[in-house]
Amino acid sequence: MMYRSIYFLVAVCLILVVMILGLQVGSFESGLNTVLESIFQYDPDNTTHYAIIQLRLPRLLLALAVGASLAFCGYLMQAMVNNGLADPYLLGTASGASLGAVVVFFGFIEISIGGFYMPPILALVGAFIVTLVVIALGYRKRQLIPAQLLLAGIALSSLVTAIVGLLTFLSDSEGKLKSVIFWSMGSLERASWSLVPYPAVVIILALILFFFYQKQLNVLLLGEERAQALGVRVARTRWVILGTVSVVTGFAVATSGPIGFVGLIIPHVTRGLMGATGRFNLLFCAFIGGFFMLICDLLARVIYPPAGLPIGIITSFFGVPFFVYLLFKKNYNFRG
Amino acid sequence: LAIRIYTLKGEQQGLRFWVTGVILIFMPLIFTACGNQKADINKEVHIVKDDLGREIKLSSRPKRVFALAASMTEMLYAILDTSTIIARTPQDNFPAAVYSKPVVSNYPVDYEEILRLKPDLIFTIEGITPLDVASRLEELGVPVYYQKYNKVNDVFTGLEDIGRIMGQEEKANSVADSLKKQVELLRQKYANASQSPKVLAITWSDPIYVYGRNTILTDKLQILGAENAVQESFDQPYPALTREYILKLNPDVLLGGSKEKLEEKFFSLYPELRKIKAYQQNRMFEPTDDLMSRPSPRVVESLVELEGFLYKK
């Protein structure tokens, strides 16, 4: 139990350290003193202060919220389908969101309606619609069949990806293509104080909700029959998981694009460090997901300034080696 | 054919034997004849080097040409007879006469249609047509000539080169000289400009892509006594920039749309950028897209349009 508390403490400290480092990286030269000055003696007319508080800080908070959301949803999905290969995008969220954004980028819907920038809104709508269809296809005889849900997700994602591909192929402008490519690899560049609250509030609410469901989740790992024998209402738990994953992933993807790999590897890291059935696993998973995303964003900006590499490329580049290490680590087991 | 031959019977099979025999006997002669023909062509081959340093072999003066880039089509129309230009790409829209030509897809390249049209030479520009597409076309017997432009004067050199290849030197030189003179007048007019406004030209707003240092716009702005706000040289001609980078550049003039348009599609997305001078001083303009993006004989028209934006009273 003691080592788990230490891990928590280390995770929080690491998040703070990376955030302070992240606040120092950008086009304006700014050391630690400038960062502290801009936090405690903010002067909006000082452009460096303005950049740190209005651009860098919301970006870091968005990275934290999105990383936490994806890792959290990955953990839930893996527990629900009882398979370590599951990730939050299995429900077709990523492809649905991509289709929503592409529909706007390619001019089928005005890019700005009533002052609202439409790509994230349509991405959210697209994510929800595709997820609903996948759930409907995975539902039989009044209950969700995980294997059917997985197959429906894969099939529908392929179909939606093909539609996105077709629209991309028929694109008449290089700019539109760039938008789609940039969006599909994930980006935190649109972060602003008005955008951050959406994914942040959603993940905080979801974490509170699942504080009461952690026990059921752990029992689900034993399999449906055993879970039922132990008094877990499997069907209801699955519905709660599905609903939460759809909303949390939808907001994460809508604000920053479909960033891959976080939702797959961070749950494994969590179980590797905290054990498969820890009481605070979900919270720890969210912390580690946020930390991982912060590190990746920092690397993306340092490696390829000023625009930074698409975040999805970095998450895969640095996530895969660690994932392979975990696979070969002898004392790690998906079900504890 | 094989199926047909198998259905032959009787005397027909005998006939097949004799035909095959004759072909086999004469085959070396046929090959020799083809070889000689190739040697004859080789004697007349002209080799020209394009702007990428590639060698293009032309057996005779090209009579049927077209371009795989809209800007290059404008270059061809400035010099050649309209009958020499045999096709257009879907993006071509200038001059109006181009609409009478058959359309050839340049992305993806419609090889079959190109073969059907039998061009003697295709012109294109670097960055529009990948080199592997050019190699494929050359394998199919259609040579491809590339041009590239870093400066405004490169457009005029390009016109002269097209004239030389097509046997229209006189006309090409005359067009190029006339354009050069107009550019020189503008250069002299702003040679001693006291201030050089920093101009940022955006090509796309999400993500923010801009005209980088190594685009022809940098030279256009220098001719007009202004400068490209992007001073750093990136690998890409149109680099993606962050909001913070643009805040640091703090351009005096923003090109990419009228104030209303930018307000709706750019500043509503990036409200933090309302701090830049161009926004504060209301110096935001919408240049004609084709004039900005196409290095063509209309480059002078583009300079005059930019002059209007920069020195608007």
Side-chain angles (χ1 to χ4, degrees), chain A residues 26-28 44 50 55-56 105 117 175-176 178-179 182 189-192 304 306-307, chain B residues 108 204 206-207 209 234 236 238 240-245 247-248 264-265 269 272 275:
Chain A
S27 300
F28 289 98
Y50 188 81
L55 300 177
R56 293 182 200 170
F105 286 137
Y117 188 61
K176 290 175 184 174
K178 282 178 176 170
S179 283
F182 207 76
E189 180 51 24
R190 285 177 291 269
S192 65
Y304 195 70
Chain B
W204 198 253
D206 183 22
Y209 278 94
F234 294 97
Q236 307 92 340
Y238 304 93
L241 298 183
T242 57
R243 291 168 291 174
E244 188 173 334
Y245 195 88
L247 264 184
K248 198 181 177 194
E264 189 193 338
K265 295 188 174 170
L269 187 55
E272 306 83 6
K275 273 183 103 72

mmCIF file of all heavy atoms in Angstrom, chain A residues 26-28 44 50 55-56 105 117 175-176 178-179 182 189-192 304 306-307, chain B residues 108 204 206-207 209 234 236 238 240-245 247-248 264-265 269 272 275:
data_model
loop_
_atom_site.group_PDB
_atom_site.id
_atom_site.type_symbol
_atom_site.label_atom_id
_atom_site.label_comp_id
_atom_site.label_asym_id
_atom_site.label_seq_id
_atom_site.Cartn_x
_atom_site.Cartn_y
_atom_site.Cartn_z
ATOM 1 N N GLY A 26 8.954 27.748 -25.955
ATOM 2 C CA GLY A 26 8.116 28.448 -26.932
ATOM 3 C C GLY A 26 8.942 29.432 -27.732
ATOM 4 O O GLY A 26 10.182 29.445 -27.623
ATOM 5 N N SER A 27 8.282 30.231 -28.540
ATOM 6 C CA SER A 27 9.003 31.165 -29.399
ATOM 7 C C SER A 27 9.623 32.309 -28.604
ATOM 8 O O SER A 27 10.702 32.795 -28.935
ATOM 9 C CB SER A 27 8.055 31.736 -30.445
ATOM 10 O OG SER A 27 7.534 30.697 -31.227
ATOM 11 N N PHE A 28 8.930 32.756 -27.554
ATOM 12 C CA PHE A 28 9.501 33.804 -26.702
ATOM 13 C C PHE A 28 10.449 33.163 -25.710
ATOM 14 O O PHE A 28 10.097 32.152 -25.081
ATOM 15 C CB PHE A 28 8.392 34.527 -25.929
ATOM 16 C CG PHE A 28 7.525 35.395 -26.783
ATOM 17 C CD1 PHE A 28 6.306 34.939 -27.247
ATOM 18 C CD2 PHE A 28 7.934 36.675 -27.130
ATOM 19 C CE1 PHE A 28 5.497 35.729 -28.035
ATOM 20 C CE2 PHE A 28 7.123 37.478 -27.924
ATOM 21 C CZ PHE A 28 5.914 37.011 -28.379
ATOM 22 N N PRO A 44 -0.757 41.740 -18.690
ATOM 23 C CA PRO A 44 -1.287 41.371 -20.012
ATOM 24 C C PRO A 44 -0.659 42.145 -21.169
ATOM 25 O O PRO A 44 -0.740 41.709 -22.327
ATOM 26 C CB PRO A 44 -2.780 41.686 -19.896
ATOM 27 C CG PRO A 44 -2.938 42.529 -18.692
ATOM 28 C CD PRO A 44 -1.783 42.296 -17.800
ATOM 29 N N TYR A 50 1.841 37.209 -21.737
ATOM 30 C CA TYR A 50 0.605 36.879 -22.451
ATOM 31 C C TYR A 50 0.718 35.489 -23.089
ATOM 32 O O TYR A 50 -0.191 34.667 -22.984
ATOM 33 C CB TYR A 50 0.357 37.947 -23.519
ATOM 34 C CG TYR A 50 -0.985 37.838 -24.199
ATOM 35 C CD1 TYR A 50 -2.132 38.343 -23.612
ATOM 36 C CD2 TYR A 50 -1.098 37.220 -25.444
ATOM 37 C CE1 TYR A 50 -3.363 38.240 -24.233
ATOM 38 C CE2 TYR A 50 -2.321 37.111 -26.078
ATOM 39 C CZ TYR A 50 -3.458 37.621 -25.474
ATOM 40 O OH TYR A 50 -4.667 37.504 -26.104
ATOM 41 N N LEU A 55 -1.394 31.121 -23.962
ATOM 42 C CA LEU A 55 -1.156 30.088 -24.974
ATOM 43 C C LEU A 55 -0.571 28.803 -24.374
ATOM 44 O O LEU A 55 -1.064 27.713 -24.624
ATOM 45 C CB LEU A 55 -0.229 30.611 -26.070
ATOM 46 C CG LEU A 55 -0.721 31.842 -26.844
ATOM 47 C CD1 LEU A 55 0.325 32.293 -27.845
ATOM 48 C CD2 LEU A 55 -2.009 31.527 -27.576
ATOM 49 N N ARG A 56 0.525 28.985 -23.614
ATOM 50 C CA ARG A 56 1.201 27.766 -23.137
ATOM 51 C C ARG A 56 0.425 27.063 -22.028
ATOM 52 O O ARG A 56 0.294 25.836 -22.053
ATOM 53 C CB ARG A 56 2.608 28.130 -22.622
ATOM 54 C CG ARG A 56 3.533 28.592 -23.732
ATOM 55 C CD ARG A 56 4.914 28.888 -23.184
ATOM 56 N NE ARG A 56 5.671 29.764 -24.079
ATOM 57 C CZ ARG A 56 6.819 30.324 -23.770
ATOM 58 N NH1 ARG A 56 7.360 30.114 -22.596
ATOM 59 N NH2 ARG A 56 7.439 31.105 -24.638
ATOM 60 N N PHE A 105 -14.314 20.614 -42.761
ATOM 61 C CA PHE A 105 -13.134 21.070 -43.506
ATOM 62 C C PHE A 105 -13.396 21.083 -45.019
ATOM 63 O O PHE A 105 -12.857 21.910 -45.739
ATOM 64 C CB PHE A 105 -11.921 20.177 -43.209
ATOM 65 C CG PHE A 105 -11.325 20.394 -41.843
ATOM 66 C CD1 PHE A 105 -10.945 19.321 -41.050
ATOM 67 C CD2 PHE A 105 -11.146 21.675 -41.333
ATOM 68 C CE1 PHE A 105 -10.402 19.520 -39.792
ATOM 69 C CE2 PHE A 105 -10.600 21.884 -40.071
ATOM 70 C CZ PHE A 105 -10.232 20.805 -39.304
ATOM 71 N N TYR A 117 -16.745 27.749 -33.820
ATOM 72 C CA TYR A 117 -15.894 27.033 -34.750
ATOM 73 C C TYR A 117 -16.407 25.594 -34.822
ATOM 74 O O TYR A 117 -16.453 24.888 -33.803
ATOM 75 C CB TYR A 117 -14.446 27.094 -34.256
ATOM 76 C CG TYR A 117 -13.448 26.553 -35.236
ATOM 77 C CD1 TYR A 117 -13.294 27.118 -36.496
ATOM 78 C CD2 TYR A 117 -12.637 25.479 -34.899
ATOM 79 C CE1 TYR A 117 -12.378 26.616 -37.396
ATOM 80 C CE2 TYR A 117 -11.704 24.984 -35.792
ATOM 81 C CZ TYR A 117 -11.591 25.556 -37.039
ATOM 82 O OH TYR A 117 -10.671 25.063 -37.928
ATOM 83 N N GLY A 175 -4.937 22.882 -48.993
ATOM 84 C CA GLY A 175 -5.170 23.364 -47.638
ATOM 85 C C GLY A 175 -6.095 22.443 -46.868
ATOM 86 O O GLY A 175 -5.857 22.118 -45.704
ATOM 87 N N LYS A 176 -7.164 22.002 -47.548
ATOM 88 C CA LYS A 176 -8.120 21.112 -46.887
ATOM 89 C C LYS A 176 -7.430 19.809 -46.480
ATOM 90 O O LYS A 176 -7.656 19.278 -45.403
ATOM 91 C CB LYS A 176 -9.290 20.811 -47.822
ATOM 92 C CG LYS A 176 -10.191 22.024 -48.055
ATOM 93 C CD LYS A 176 -11.252 21.688 -49.075
ATOM 94 C CE LYS A 176 -12.096 22.911 -49.393
ATOM 95 N NZ LYS A 176 -13.037 22.663 -50.482
ATOM 96 N N LYS A 178 -4.307 19.394 -45.800
ATOM 97 C CA LYS A 178 -3.428 19.644 -44.658
ATOM 98 C C LYS A 178 -4.237 19.658 -43.366
ATOM 99 O O LYS A 178 -3.814 19.111 -42.353
ATOM 100 C CB LYS A 178 -2.709 20.983 -44.841
ATOM 101 C CG LYS A 178 -1.546 20.896 -45.808
ATOM 102 C CD LYS A 178 -0.910 22.240 -46.000
ATOM 103 C CE LYS A 178 0.307 22.137 -46.897
ATOM 104 N NZ LYS A 178 0.811 23.444 -47.294
ATOM 105 N N SER A 179 -5.397 20.297 -43.419
ATOM 106 C CA SER A 179 -6.251 20.355 -42.225
ATOM 107 C C SER A 179 -6.600 18.958 -41.755
ATOM 108 O O SER A 179 -6.506 18.642 -40.570
ATOM 109 C CB SER A 179 -7.561 21.081 -42.538
ATOM 110 O OG SER A 179 -7.350 22.443 -42.574
ATOM 111 N N PHE A 182 -3.447 17.061 -40.481
ATOM 112 C CA PHE A 182 -3.024 17.619 -39.204
ATOM 113 C C PHE A 182 -3.990 17.193 -38.101
ATOM 114 O O PHE A 182 -3.588 16.795 -37.025
ATOM 115 C CB PHE A 182 -2.996 19.146 -39.323
ATOM 116 C CG PHE A 182 -2.022 19.807 -38.393
ATOM 117 C CD1 PHE A 182 -0.670 19.791 -38.656
ATOM 118 C CD2 PHE A 182 -2.468 20.447 -37.254
ATOM 119 C CE1 PHE A 182 0.229 20.403 -37.802
ATOM 120 C CE2 PHE A 182 -1.583 21.064 -36.389
ATOM 121 C CZ PHE A 182 -0.232 21.040 -36.660
ATOM 122 N N GLU A 189 -2.689 22.483 -30.514
ATOM 123 C CA GLU A 189 -2.425 23.883 -30.856
ATOM 124 C C GLU A 189 -3.656 24.772 -30.686
ATOM 125 O O GLU A 189 -3.549 25.974 -30.526
ATOM 126 C CB GLU A 189 -1.876 23.939 -32.296
ATOM 127 C CG GLU A 189 -1.534 25.314 -32.844
ATOM 128 C CD GLU A 189 -0.632 26.163 -31.950
ATOM 129 O OE1 GLU A 189 0.109 25.600 -31.135
ATOM 130 O OE2 GLU A 189 -0.702 27.400 -32.054
ATOM 131 N N ARG A 190 -4.843 24.194 -30.715
ATOM 132 C CA ARG A 190 -6.043 25.029 -30.617
ATOM 133 C C ARG A 190 -6.423 25.333 -29.160
ATOM 134 O O ARG A 190 -7.441 25.963 -28.904
ATOM 135 C CB ARG A 190 -7.215 24.328 -31.311
ATOM 136 C CG ARG A 190 -7.140 24.375 -32.814
ATOM 137 C CD ARG A 190 -8.282 23.602 -33.427
ATOM 138 N NE ARG A 190 -8.141 22.174 -33.191
ATOM 139 C CZ ARG A 190 -7.526 21.340 -34.013
ATOM 140 N NH1 ARG A 190 -7.024 21.795 -35.138
ATOM 141 N NH2 ARG A 190 -7.406 20.064 -33.729
ATOM 142 N N ALA A 191 -5.570 24.863 -28.237
ATOM 143 C CA ALA A 191 -5.911 25.033 -26.820
ATOM 144 C C ALA A 191 -6.140 26.489 -26.442
ATOM 145 O O ALA A 191 -5.383 27.372 -26.875
ATOM 146 C CB ALA A 191 -4.785 24.466 -25.968
ATOM 147 N N SER A 192 -7.176 26.741 -25.678
ATOM 148 C CA SER A 192 -7.432 28.094 -25.176
ATOM 149 C C SER A 192 -8.220 27.951 -23.879
ATOM 150 O O SER A 192 -8.749 26.868 -23.572
ATOM 151 C CB SER A 192 -8.231 28.893 -26.195
ATOM 152 O OG SER A 192 -9.499 28.322 -26.341
ATOM 153 N N TYR A 304 10.752 19.748 -32.982
ATOM 154 C CA TYR A 304 10.449 20.359 -34.286
ATOM 155 C C TYR A 304 9.794 21.732 -34.106
ATOM 156 O O TYR A 304 8.603 21.914 -34.374
ATOM 157 C CB TYR A 304 9.513 19.415 -35.059
ATOM 158 C CG TYR A 304 9.400 19.723 -36.534
ATOM 159 C CD1 TYR A 304 10.454 19.501 -37.398
ATOM 160 C CD2 TYR A 304 8.217 20.237 -37.057
ATOM 161 C CE1 TYR A 304 10.340 19.776 -38.741
ATOM 162 C CE2 TYR A 304 8.093 20.518 -38.408
ATOM 163 C CZ TYR A 304 9.162 20.280 -39.235
ATOM 164 O OH TYR A 304 9.047 20.556 -40.575
ATOM 165 N N PRO A 306 8.931 25.730 -34.966
ATOM 166 C CA PRO A 306 8.050 26.207 -33.920
ATOM 167 C C PRO A 306 6.717 25.442 -33.863
ATOM 168 O O PRO A 306 6.063 25.439 -32.845
ATOM 169 C CB PRO A 306 7.790 27.646 -34.329
ATOM 170 C CG PRO A 306 7.839 27.617 -35.811
ATOM 171 C CD PRO A 306 8.855 26.592 -36.162
ATOM 172 N N ALA A 307 6.308 24.836 -35.001
ATOM 173 C CA ALA A 307 4.946 24.284 -35.027
ATOM 174 C C ALA A 307 4.812 23.039 -34.158
ATOM 175 O O ALA A 307 3.755 22.758 -33.632
ATOM 176 C CB ALA A 307 4.540 23.961 -36.458
ATOM 177 N N PRO B 108 -4.979 12.223 -59.525
ATOM 178 C CA PRO B 108 -3.805 11.492 -59.999
ATOM 179 C C PRO B 108 -3.640 11.701 -61.497
ATOM 180 O O PRO B 108 -4.617 12.001 -62.194
ATOM 181 C CB PRO B 108 -4.156 10.038 -59.682
ATOM 182 C CG PRO B 108 -5.653 10.003 -59.692
ATOM 183 C CD PRO B 108 -6.133 11.345 -59.266
ATOM 184 N N TRP B 204 -3.575 29.084 -45.001
ATOM 185 C CA TRP B 204 -4.608 28.231 -44.408
ATOM 186 C C TRP B 204 -4.673 28.522 -42.925
ATOM 187 O O TRP B 204 -3.646 28.817 -42.309
ATOM 188 C CB TRP B 204 -4.271 26.761 -44.660
ATOM 189 C CG TRP B 204 -5.461 25.870 -44.484
ATOM 190 C CD1 TRP B 204 -5.681 25.016 -43.441
ATOM 191 C CD2 TRP B 204 -6.594 25.753 -45.345
ATOM 192 N NE1 TRP B 204 -6.882 24.374 -43.616
ATOM 193 C CE2 TRP B 204 -7.467 24.804 -44.768
ATOM 194 C CE3 TRP B 204 -6.951 26.355 -46.550
ATOM 195 C CZ2 TRP B 204 -8.682 24.446 -45.341
ATOM 196 C CZ3 TRP B 204 -8.154 26.003 -47.141
ATOM 197 C CH2 TRP B 204 -9.002 25.055 -46.541
ATOM 198 N N ASP B 206 -6.314 26.575 -40.283
ATOM 199 C CA ASP B 206 -6.356 25.517 -39.269
ATOM 200 C C ASP B 206 -5.764 24.226 -39.801
ATOM 201 O O ASP B 206 -6.459 23.470 -40.465
ATOM 202 C CB ASP B 206 -7.795 25.276 -38.808
ATOM 203 C CG ASP B 206 -7.860 24.236 -37.697
ATOM 204 O OD1 ASP B 206 -6.838 24.034 -37.034
ATOM 205 O OD2 ASP B 206 -8.933 23.639 -37.499
ATOM 206 N N PRO B 207 -4.497 23.961 -39.579
ATOM 207 C CA PRO B 207 -3.510 24.725 -38.821
ATOM 208 C C PRO B 207 -3.052 25.954 -39.609
ATOM 209 O O PRO B 207 -3.337 26.059 -40.800
ATOM 210 C CB PRO B 207 -2.357 23.733 -38.659
ATOM 211 C CG PRO B 207 -2.473 22.833 -39.828
ATOM 212 C CD PRO B 207 -3.937 22.723 -40.138
ATOM 213 N N TYR B 209 -0.925 27.872 -41.834
ATOM 214 C CA TYR B 209 0.172 27.737 -42.803
ATOM 215 C C TYR B 209 0.402 29.110 -43.430
ATOM 216 O O TYR B 209 -0.562 29.831 -43.701
ATOM 217 C CB TYR B 209 -0.189 26.739 -43.905
ATOM 218 C CG TYR B 209 0.023 25.297 -43.501
ATOM 219 C CD1 TYR B 209 -1.009 24.547 -42.974
ATOM 220 C CD2 TYR B 209 1.270 24.689 -43.645
ATOM 221 C CE1 TYR B 209 -0.817 23.224 -42.591
ATOM 222 C CE2 TYR B 209 1.468 23.371 -43.270
ATOM 223 C CZ TYR B 209 0.423 22.644 -42.747
ATOM 224 O OH TYR B 209 0.630 21.340 -42.371
ATOM 225 N N PHE B 234 12.533 27.734 -43.357
ATOM 226 C CA PHE B 234 12.080 26.390 -42.989
ATOM 227 C C PHE B 234 12.283 25.460 -44.184
ATOM 228 O O PHE B 234 12.463 25.918 -45.312
ATOM 229 C CB PHE B 234 10.599 26.420 -42.608
ATOM 230 C CG PHE B 234 10.329 27.207 -41.355
ATOM 231 C CD1 PHE B 234 9.910 28.531 -41.427
ATOM 232 C CD2 PHE B 234 10.504 26.629 -40.115
ATOM 233 C CE1 PHE B 234 9.667 29.259 -40.274
ATOM 234 C CE2 PHE B 234 10.264 27.362 -38.953
ATOM 235 C CZ PHE B 234 9.842 28.680 -39.044
ATOM 236 N N GLN B 236 10.032 23.543 -45.438
ATOM 237 C CA GLN B 236 8.858 23.626 -46.309
ATOM 238 C C GLN B 236 8.668 25.055 -46.805
ATOM 239 O O GLN B 236 8.887 26.004 -46.052
ATOM 240 C CB GLN B 236 7.578 23.242 -45.549
ATOM 241 C CG GLN B 236 7.629 21.926 -44.858
ATOM 242 C CD GLN B 236 8.108 22.065 -43.417
ATOM 243 O OE1 GLN B 236 8.736 23.044 -43.047
ATOM 244 N NE2 GLN B 236 7.835 21.057 -42.622
ATOM 245 N N TYR B 238 5.874 26.419 -47.363
ATOM 246 C CA TYR B 238 4.721 26.964 -46.638
ATOM 247 C C TYR B 238 4.682 26.321 -45.246
ATOM 248 O O TYR B 238 3.982 25.328 -45.036
ATOM 249 C CB TYR B 238 3.410 26.688 -47.398
ATOM 250 C CG TYR B 238 3.449 27.237 -48.800
ATOM 251 C CD1 TYR B 238 3.843 26.448 -49.863
ATOM 252 C CD2 TYR B 238 3.124 28.568 -49.047
ATOM 253 C CE1 TYR B 238 3.926 26.964 -51.146
ATOM 254 C CE2 TYR B 238 3.188 29.091 -50.322
ATOM 255 C CZ TYR B 238 3.597 28.281 -51.368
ATOM 256 O OH TYR B 238 3.680 28.791 -52.630
ATOM 257 N N ALA B 240 4.050 25.497 -41.216
ATOM 258 C CA ALA B 240 2.977 25.663 -40.230
ATOM 259 C C ALA B 240 3.562 26.441 -39.055
ATOM 260 O O ALA B 240 4.689 26.184 -38.642
ATOM 261 C CB ALA B 240 2.498 24.297 -39.763
ATOM 262 N N LEU B 241 2.825 27.415 -38.573
ATOM 263 C CA LEU B 241 3.316 28.216 -37.448
ATOM 264 C C LEU B 241 2.357 28.134 -36.271
ATOM 265 O O LEU B 241 1.162 27.909 -36.447
ATOM 266 C CB LEU B 241 3.470 29.684 -37.863
ATOM 267 C CG LEU B 241 4.466 30.003 -38.975
ATOM 268 C CD1 LEU B 241 4.526 31.508 -39.187
ATOM 269 C CD2 LEU B 241 5.861 29.486 -38.653
ATOM 270 N N THR B 242 2.914 28.378 -35.092
ATOM 271 C CA THR B 242 2.055 28.420 -33.901
ATOM 272 C C THR B 242 1.600 29.854 -33.672
ATOM 273 O O THR B 242 2.181 30.800 -34.200
ATOM 274 C CB THR B 242 2.825 27.968 -32.651
ATOM 275 O OG1 THR B 242 3.968 28.806 -32.509
ATOM 276 C CG2 THR B 242 3.253 26.533 -32.750
ATOM 277 N N ARG B 243 0.585 30.001 -32.817
ATOM 278 C CA ARG B 243 0.105 31.345 -32.484
ATOM 279 C C ARG B 243 1.213 32.136 -31.806
ATOM 280 O O ARG B 243 1.369 33.334 -32.053
ATOM 281 C CB ARG B 243 -1.097 31.224 -31.539
ATOM 282 C CG ARG B 243 -2.320 30.659 -32.192
ATOM 283 C CD ARG B 243 -3.356 30.301 -31.164
ATOM 284 N NE ARG B 243 -2.939 29.167 -30.344
ATOM 285 C CZ ARG B 243 -3.594 28.718 -29.292
ATOM 286 N NH1 ARG B 243 -4.698 29.311 -28.916
ATOM 287 N NH2 ARG B 243 -3.175 27.685 -28.610
ATOM 288 N N GLU B 244 1.980 31.447 -30.972
ATOM 289 C CA GLU B 244 3.030 32.151 -30.239
ATOM 290 C C GLU B 244 4.086 32.710 -31.193
ATOM 291 O O GLU B 244 4.568 33.825 -31.027
ATOM 292 C CB GLU B 244 3.669 31.191 -29.229
ATOM 293 C CG GLU B 244 4.626 31.909 -28.304
ATOM 294 C CD GLU B 244 5.149 31.025 -27.189
ATOM 295 O OE1 GLU B 244 4.479 30.059 -26.791
ATOM 296 O OE2 GLU B 244 6.254 31.325 -26.698
ATOM 297 N N TYR B 245 4.414 31.927 -32.195
ATOM 298 C CA TYR B 245 5.407 32.368 -33.175
ATOM 299 C C TYR B 245 4.901 33.611 -33.911
ATOM 300 O O TYR B 245 5.639 34.553 -34.153
ATOM 301 C CB TYR B 245 5.666 31.222 -34.169
ATOM 302 C CG TYR B 245 6.905 31.406 -35.012
ATOM 303 C CD1 TYR B 245 8.137 30.964 -34.567
ATOM 304 C CD2 TYR B 245 6.846 32.036 -36.255
ATOM 305 C CE1 TYR B 245 9.279 31.122 -35.334
ATOM 306 C CE2 TYR B 245 7.980 32.199 -37.027
ATOM 307 C CZ TYR B 245 9.190 31.738 -36.564
ATOM 308 O OH TYR B 245 10.322 31.910 -37.330
ATOM 309 N N LEU B 247 2.687 35.739 -32.772
ATOM 310 C CA LEU B 247 2.708 36.859 -31.817
ATOM 311 C C LEU B 247 4.096 37.484 -31.783
ATOM 312 O O LEU B 247 4.249 38.701 -31.718
ATOM 313 C CB LEU B 247 2.390 36.343 -30.413
ATOM 314 C CG LEU B 247 0.971 36.424 -29.897
ATOM 315 C CD1 LEU B 247 0.920 35.949 -28.454
ATOM 316 C CD2 LEU B 247 0.423 37.839 -29.974
ATOM 317 N N LYS B 248 5.115 36.628 -31.837
ATOM 318 C CA LYS B 248 6.486 37.136 -31.796
ATOM 319 C C LYS B 248 6.832 37.884 -33.086
ATOM 320 O O LYS B 248 7.503 38.909 -33.063
ATOM 321 C CB LYS B 248 7.467 35.981 -31.566
ATOM 322 C CG LYS B 248 8.815 36.472 -31.096
ATOM 323 C CD LYS B 248 9.787 35.353 -30.896
ATOM 324 C CE LYS B 248 11.133 35.950 -30.492
ATOM 325 N NZ LYS B 248 12.210 34.972 -30.589
ATOM 326 N N GLU B 264 -13.940 36.307 -38.931
ATOM 327 C CA GLU B 264 -14.835 35.159 -38.817
ATOM 328 C C GLU B 264 -14.084 33.824 -38.796
ATOM 329 O O GLU B 264 -14.402 32.927 -38.022
ATOM 330 C CB GLU B 264 -15.825 35.192 -39.991
ATOM 331 C CG GLU B 264 -16.927 34.162 -39.847
ATOM 332 C CD GLU B 264 -17.705 33.985 -41.142
ATOM 333 O OE1 GLU B 264 -17.685 34.911 -41.978
ATOM 334 O OE2 GLU B 264 -18.308 32.911 -41.303
ATOM 335 N N LYS B 265 -13.059 33.725 -39.680
ATOM 336 C CA LYS B 265 -12.434 32.412 -39.851
ATOM 337 C C LYS B 265 -11.061 32.269 -39.209
ATOM 338 O O LYS B 265 -10.510 31.175 -39.168
ATOM 339 C CB LYS B 265 -12.332 32.086 -41.340
ATOM 340 C CG LYS B 265 -13.699 31.926 -41.960
ATOM 341 C CD LYS B 265 -13.652 31.425 -43.349
ATOM 342 C CE LYS B 265 -15.056 31.141 -43.843
ATOM 343 N NZ LYS B 265 -15.135 30.868 -45.240
ATOM 344 N N LEU B 269 -11.016 31.964 -34.150
ATOM 345 C CA LEU B 269 -10.364 30.715 -33.772
ATOM 346 C C LEU B 269 -9.144 30.976 -32.883
ATOM 347 O O LEU B 269 -8.822 30.210 -31.993
ATOM 348 C CB LEU B 269 -9.958 29.979 -35.056
ATOM 349 C CG LEU B 269 -9.401 28.586 -34.984
ATOM 350 C CD1 LEU B 269 -10.339 27.659 -34.244
ATOM 351 C CD2 LEU B 269 -9.187 28.052 -36.408
ATOM 352 N N GLU B 272 -6.261 35.237 -29.407
ATOM 353 C CA GLU B 272 -5.017 35.774 -28.821
ATOM 354 C C GLU B 272 -4.246 36.596 -29.843
ATOM 355 O O GLU B 272 -3.466 37.476 -29.493
ATOM 356 C CB GLU B 272 -4.118 34.630 -28.334
ATOM 357 C CG GLU B 272 -4.787 33.650 -27.376
ATOM 358 C CD GLU B 272 -5.599 32.572 -28.092
ATOM 359 O OE1 GLU B 272 -5.548 32.509 -29.334
ATOM 360 O OE2 GLU B 272 -6.306 31.809 -27.397
ATOM 361 N N LYS B 275 -3.755 40.686 -30.815
ATOM 362 C CA LYS B 275 -2.727 41.599 -30.291
ATOM 363 C C LYS B 275 -1.729 42.061 -31.353
ATOM 364 O O LYS B 275 -0.992 43.012 -31.128
ATOM 365 C CB LYS B 275 -1.934 40.881 -29.179
ATOM 366 C CG LYS B 275 -2.550 41.015 -27.804
ATOM 367 C CD LYS B 275 -1.680 40.349 -26.766
ATOM 368 C CE LYS B 275 -0.876 41.358 -25.961
ATOM 369 N NZ LYS B 275 -1.701 42.128 -25.044
#
